[in-house]
Amino acid sequence: MDKFLIVTNRDKDKGLQVTGFIQKYLEDRGARCRLAKPLQGNDALVTGYTDTSSLRNDVDCVLVLGGDGTLLQTVRDFVGMDIPLAGINLGTTGFLAAIDRDELMSGLDALLQDRFTVQKRMMLKGQVFRGERSLQESMAFNDVIVTRSGYSRLVELKIYVDGHLLDIYAADGVIVATPTGSTGYNLSAGGPVVFPQTEMMIITPICPHSLSARSVVVPADAQVVVEVGKRRKTQKEEALVTYDGQTVWNLETGDQVRVERSPIYVPMISIRQNDFCDVLRNKLKNVQ
């Protein structure tokens, strides 16, 4: 590949020093490389890139400089365009990154010489229903999370899988994660780590008021419904749903969040010769 677009989190690359190095390195080797433009007046944002309609035929690869949060936002910006993304980790753990900072030149050489694979990663689609009325929908690459809001108290969440009641959690919330998202909030909440190229959904309660509540793995083609229950007779429950920590929607008692596999896949570049076991072991070892 020889046509690159660079998306940079400018909070993590002050003065665009790493960005400039990458652009020069690629162009010196005959590649065409341009920088994505952030929203005018807010250089820290990764959203709002201009002229994305022509990118499908004009870009071989989107290089994303930052942490996992930057890559998650970029996935949403370019969703459905079928352009491979390669993360360059300027953050801390960086599970989603194809290239770490200490292997920058060898990673760029691998891209230039087509020494990589492209993994099709699944996404989730979530919809909020109040009765039979759809209020909102969005997609997520990592996870759809329903959590309490307002005062520090538990929220009742009823979990259904393909129309059957799975469990009722009194908890801080519940995570519905993709395999890619299994190393995110799901991992912190005690959920299982899943190889990212697999297809399934992981349901993990957040701080459940129970000794027996555990994560549950369901098929990728299942429909998971999270319904906000009512624990108090005189007061509506307050909750919210988030998609990849980016989009937020307020919920109330009786609202349902219906989650299923999205028909859209995310093409993610992998250039490491070592397998996911090595990546997982090395990343977790370095988490402080």
Side-chain angles (χ1 to χ4, degrees):
M1 56 175 57
D2 60 3
K3 294 179 292 186
F4 296 90
L5 178 73
I6 301 180
V7 173
T8 302
N9 183 327
R10 302 187 180 205
D11 280 343
K12 295 185 180 296
D13 186 18
K14 299 292 187 182
L16 298 180
Q17 292 183 357
V18 180
T19 301
F21 172 83
I22 292 173
Q23 184 176 21
K24 185 177 186 303
Y25 190 90
L26 293 172
E27 290 178 345
D28 284 350
R29 286 152 181 81
R32 188 174 68 185
C33 185
R34 57 192 177 119
L35 308 185
K37 299 178 182 179
L39 283 172
Q40 186 176 1
N42 194 342
D43 285 349
L45 290 180
V46 190
T47 54
Y49 292 101
T50 61
D51 192 26
T52 58
S53 60
S54 64
L55 289 179
R56 186 191 297 269
N57 298 321
D58 202 36
V59 174
D60 295 328
C61 173
V62 178
L63 298 176
V64 185
L65 278 66
D68 284 349
T70 309
L71 188 52
L72 287 173
Q73 181 59 64
T74 306
V75 166
R76 298 171 69 85
D77 287 343
F78 293 92
V79 67
M81 300 188 67
D82 201 32
I83 302 173
L85 282 73
I88 298 177
N89 183 31
L90 302 183
T92 51
T93 307
F95 273 108
L96 302 181
I99 304 171
D100 283 326
R101 194 163 185 168
D102 59 0
E103 58 183 17
L104 186 55
M105 288 184 288
S106 62
L108 294 175
D109 287 340
L111 294 177
L112 290 168
Q113 298 164 16
D114 292 337
R115 292 186 286 106
F116 59 85
T117 59
V118 178
Q119 297 178 350
K120 295 286 189 179
R121 305 278 190 92
M122 68 174 283
M123 293 190 75
L124 300 176
K125 183 183 77 170
Q127 283 185 281
V128 176
F129 283 85
R130 187 162 295 163
E132 292 303 314
R133 184 162 58 102
S134 176
L135 302 180
Q136 181 267 352
E137 70 175 73
S138 188
M139 286 189 289
F141 186 39
N142 255 12
D143 45 41
V144 178
I145 302 174
V146 179
T147 59
R148 60 175 173 79
S149 65
Y151 299 105
S152 297
R153 62 190 182 206
L154 301 177
V155 62
E156 180 181 279
L157 299 172
K158 301 177 182 179
I159 313 299
Y160 299 87
V161 178
D162 289 336
H164 302 284
L165 180 65
L166 174 68
D167 209 337
I168 301 176
Y169 297 133
D172 282 354
V174 67
I175 303 164
V176 183
T178 64
T180 298
S182 71
T183 53
Y185 196 0
N186 169 76
L187 176 62
S188 299
V193 174
V194 177
F195 278 61
Q197 64 269 34
T198 58
E199 295 196 12
M200 62 189 68
M201 289 186 281
I202 308 153
I203 305 170
T204 299
I206 305 170
C207 298
H209 194 66
S210 169
L211 295 176
S212 60
R214 295 290 184 269
S215 295
V216 178
V217 176
V218 300
D221 58 357
Q223 184 190 70
V224 176
V225 175
V226 181
E227 181 179 316
V228 181
K230 188 175 180 66
R231 302 188 74 232
R232 295 166 180 80
K233 295 181 179 179
T234 60
Q235 194 170 10
K236 285 186 177 181
E237 293 292 345
E238 294 179 336
L240 53 86
V241 57
T242 62
Y243 304 85
D244 287 340
Q246 309 282 344
T247 302
V248 181
W249 187 268
N250 291 317
L251 305 171
E252 61 183 47
T253 302
D255 286 354
Q256 290 188 343
V257 180
R258 303 178 189 177
V259 184
E260 56 192 14
R261 175 172 55 184
S262 168
I264 298 175
Y265 285 78
V266 179
M268 294 288 293
I269 286 178
S270 175
I271 63 173
R272 292 188 177 94
Q273 297 301 313
N274 52 344
D275 61 15
F276 181 67
C277 295
D278 292 332
V279 174
L280 183 67
R281 185 176 64 252
N282 292 332
K283 293 289 186 182
L284 290 182
K285 180 179 65 177
N286 293 325
V287 174
Q288 301 297 323

